[in-house]
Amino acid sequence: MAMKRTVLAGLAAAALLLTGCTADADDDIAVAERWDFHSRPELAPPKVDIDSGSFPDDNGDLQTFLAPKGQTAADDKSWVGGLILDAAGDPVWIRDDGEQMWDLRVQEYQGQPVLTWWEGLAETPHTAGEVVVLDDSYQEIARVGMGGELPKDTSDLHETTITGDDTMFLISYVKTQTDLTSVGGDEDGWAWEGIVQEVDIDTGDPLFEWRSLDAVPVDQTETELKDGEGTKDEPFDYIHLNSVAEDDDGKALLVSARNTHAVYQLDRKSADLNWVLGGKASDFEMGDGAQFAWQHDAQRRSDGTLTLFDNHAAPRLGDTRGLRLDVDEKKKRAEVVTEYPAPDDRSSGSQGNFQELPNGNVVLGWGSEPYVSEFSKDGKLLADLTFTGGSNYRAYRFDWHAQPTAPPTATKSQPQADITRVHMSWNGATEVASWRVLSGDDEEHLVENSEVERTGFETAADITPNGSTIVVEALDADGESLGSTTAAPQNR
């Protein structure tokens, strides 16, 4: 499904500018303005318009992480790639090669922050790919996939979580022959069996494995077996696992299954099924408003609550929302603690996530609907963004510090006879506070022309050169050099 996109989608503050502006897979996708960088003309991500005061500042200098993509395989209008955006909405890092990325985020591996995402063939549930791990210089240090009897490149796009033990939770789907008579199929039918693994990142060895058909029968599905499904060529997607997370202080795992409307707790040592929350086989009485449907991203939080992104759509059974539940394992009852509702009538038919920030605020990525929202812990909407067209699997806000191994880039032009304009940028560099421009007859005889404050992804400075050689130098907040161009910038 990965493909080149030629018309880019824009991002704007939905709360004030584009409230209610959604893009349907069958609708015309709005064409919006895109960036045009002199120093990096090959990079053309969506222009972003965010009120810098709309996101709270008490979470530190957090950046927004998005990996926009098309709504369908036929969508050739939505921009596809990876974006890290600063508080002003300007790009910090752009991956603009037309390839789909899923679950772009910051994690920790071997005690260091890393950037991760899934890439591969994204034809869910028959996905085939690996998780890419980059260090803070954007150098690839690992590719992670399934282990044991499963080919490495058969990991599914839904889960990429790294644990504190330097392992990774992964999901895969395998065609498995099984009795489908309970759902109107053949006795010798076929289903996509969901498989959960915990894989050692360094060795690739699986440390844990759970197979859904061993514990969750097909008749617990909430989706209908359609004509033509249930064959070896088109297995029945009866469970559709979509997240794995640690629970019970690491002794158990929480697994979300979209097509059974259920969350499963698994014993991490034995892989036994401890309990089921939601769906047809729930071990819990669901309190008023606690029932969820077609959900994603089930997580246990430090206060003991369980959170998830409740799609409640495709088909639509209610309003899409973020949901925080009190799950009483002794009384076997689940109650709503907090709801995080959409600020309009948006309904997310697929994808989505629930991130809890260090101060307790909540970030919701709305999946198939092109929005990102931040709420206070008690459910008050603080910010709401939209990017016109396309979708985004999960959205996050993180504090990310990085410096690429590749040097900065600069170009020069001459808008007037006596003025040379220099444009400079450094894709992915997060610590640049200002730029120093130097010129001279050669690199051994340079004189400073100007020092200018960084004004976004690309900064411009007008100078009168002291010679034919121009070098730009990136400086941090203390005025220390981070890197520089090593040759005269190119004319444009």
Side-chain angles (χ1 to χ4, degrees):
M1 285 176 61
M3 62 191 73
K4 277 285 181 184
R5 316 291 178 171
T6 56
V7 182
L8 304 187
L11 192 63
L16 298 176
L17 301 178
L18 293 176
T19 300
C21 178
T22 62
D24 229 65
D26 296 325
D27 293 339
D28 289 333
I29 297 172
V31 177
E33 192 176 2
R34 57 179 170 178
W35 289 101
D36 180 17
F37 299 120
H38 295 263
S39 56
R40 296 297 301 270
E42 78 280 12
L43 301 179
K47 270 213 170 182
V48 174
D49 183 10
I50 301 176
D51 177 1
S52 61
S54 61
F55 280 112
D57 296 328
D58 54 354
N59 283 312
D61 188 19
L62 300 187
Q63 296 133 332
T64 302
F65 290 70
L66 295 172
K69 57 190 181 335
Q71 289 281 15
T72 67
D75 176 5
D76 62 354
K77 292 186 164 101
S78 298
W79 185 83
V80 172
L83 288 173
I84 302 175
L85 307 173
D86 67 16
D90 288 339
V92 174
W93 178 75
I94 306 164
R95 184 177 186 250
D96 188 359
D97 58 5
E99 297 298 319
Q100 284 190 359
M101 307 167 67
W102 295 70
D103 206 17
L104 172 66
R105 56 169 154 162
V106 176
Q107 302 196 69
E108 187 172 292
Y109 175 54
Q110 296 181 340
Q112 300 297 321
V114 292
L115 193 64
T116 65
W117 70 81
W118 181 96
E119 67 180 28
L121 177 65
E123 294 181 353
T124 184
H126 184 208
T127 56
E130 296 173 311
V131 182
V132 181
V133 183
L134 305 186
D135 64 16
D136 60 6
S137 65
Y138 300 95
Q139 297 300 295
E140 184 175 311
I141 57 175
R143 279 185 174 259
V144 190
M146 305 304 290
E149 298 178 355
L150 297 177
K152 181 178 180 180
D153 65 355
T154 58
S155 74
D156 174 71
L157 54 86
H158 284 98
E159 193 52 82
T160 68
T161 295
I162 297 176
T163 74
D165 297 321
D166 292 336
T167 63
M168 183 178 287
F169 295 136
L170 297 170
I171 293 171
S172 185
Y173 296 106
V174 175
K175 294 181 180 182
T176 304
Q177 195 161 25
T178 191
D179 187 350
L180 297 180
T181 55
S182 62
V183 292
D186 296 333
E187 184 177 358
D188 57 351
W190 290 80
W192 287 110
E193 181 172 29
I195 298 177
V196 173
Q197 283 189 352
E198 181 179 2
V199 174
D200 184 282
I201 295 175
D202 184 43
T203 66
D205 296 331
L207 308 178
F208 172 94
E209 183 171 294
W210 179 78
R211 292 177 176 255
S212 65
L213 284 170
D214 294 339
V216 184
V218 172
D219 61 5
Q220 291 182 15
T221 190
E222 298 281 1
T223 190
E224 293 183 5
L225 180 69
K226 298 176 183 177
D227 290 343
E229 285 186 329
T231 66
K232 189 172 184 180
D233 290 337
E234 193 173 351
F236 180 41
D237 184 17
Y238 91 101
I239 192 164
H240 202 97
L241 307 180
N242 58 28
S243 74
V244 184
E246 289 182 296
D247 194 21
D248 194 18
D249 296 325
K251 298 175 184 177
L253 301 180
L254 287 179
V255 177
S256 170
R258 180 186 187 277
N259 286 357
T260 58
H261 299 184
V263 174
Y264 304 96
Q265 191 197 64
L266 311 177
D267 186 280
R268 200 169 182 178
K269 287 187 176 180
S270 66
D272 291 338
L273 178 59
N274 291 338
W275 49 252
V276 182
L277 174 69
K280 294 178 179 178
S282 182
D283 293 313
F284 295 80
E285 180 184 358
M286 306 302 287
D288 185 27
Q291 186 62 58
F292 47 86
W294 315 111
Q295 81 290 338
H296 288 74
D297 198 19
Q299 306 272 344
R300 181 77 71 174
R301 300 302 174 181
S302 59
D303 63 359
T305 60
L306 189 151
T307 64
L308 50 83
F309 183 77
D310 181 16
N311 296 76
H312 240 98
R316 186 169 184 174
L317 302 176
D319 294 331
T320 301
R321 58 183 175 166
L323 184 61
R324 187 185 298 272
L325 296 173
D326 174 31
V327 180
D328 191 322
E329 295 186 38
K330 292 183 179 179
K331 295 181 179 180
K332 296 296 183 184
R333 182 172 175 82
E335 298 276 2
V336 174
V337 176
T338 313
E339 290 184 281
Y340 303 88
D344 51 32
D345 193 39
R346 74 188 64 157
S347 178
S348 176
S350 68
Q351 310 167 83
N353 71 301
F354 184 119
Q355 181 195 16
E356 191 170 75
L357 297 178
N359 73 341
N361 284 1
V362 169
V363 172
L364 296 185
W366 295 89
S368 62
E369 295 301 301
Y371 296 89
V372 182
S373 303
E374 184 169 341
F375 296 82
S376 64
K377 186 173 182 177
D378 62 2
K380 178 183 178 182
L381 181 68
L382 303 175
D384 190 40
L385 310 179
T386 181
F387 52 98
T388 306
S391 64
N392 175 70
Y393 176 50
R394 290 174 175 172
Y396 301 95
R397 299 192 70 213
F398 289 113
D399 187 14
W400 172 242
H401 300 273
Q403 182 171 319
T405 56
T409 306
T411 58
K412 64 180 180 180
S413 60
Q414 199 160 7
Q416 298 177 22
D418 57 344
I419 294 293
T420 295
R421 180 164 295 164
V422 180
H423 288 90
M424 49 217 134
S425 63
W426 200 359
N427 189 24
T430 61
E431 308 307 301
V432 179
S434 61
W435 293 93
R436 179 184 293 141
V437 183
L438 308 100
S439 63
D441 292 332
D442 54 51
E443 291 190 31
E444 302 299 321
H445 301 86
L446 297 176
V447 177
E448 179 177 333
N449 284 96
S450 178
E451 182 178 328
V452 293
E453 183 179 351
R454 179 188 180 274
T455 57
F457 183 86
E458 183 174 76
T459 302
D462 288 347
I463 66 169
T464 301
N466 299 302
S468 60
T469 300
I470 301 174
V471 170
V472 302
E473 188 175 22
L475 308 178
D476 66 14
D478 297 322
E480 298 295 323
S481 177
L482 298 171
S484 66
T485 58
T486 56
Q490 299 297 310
N491 286 298
R492 182 177 187 235

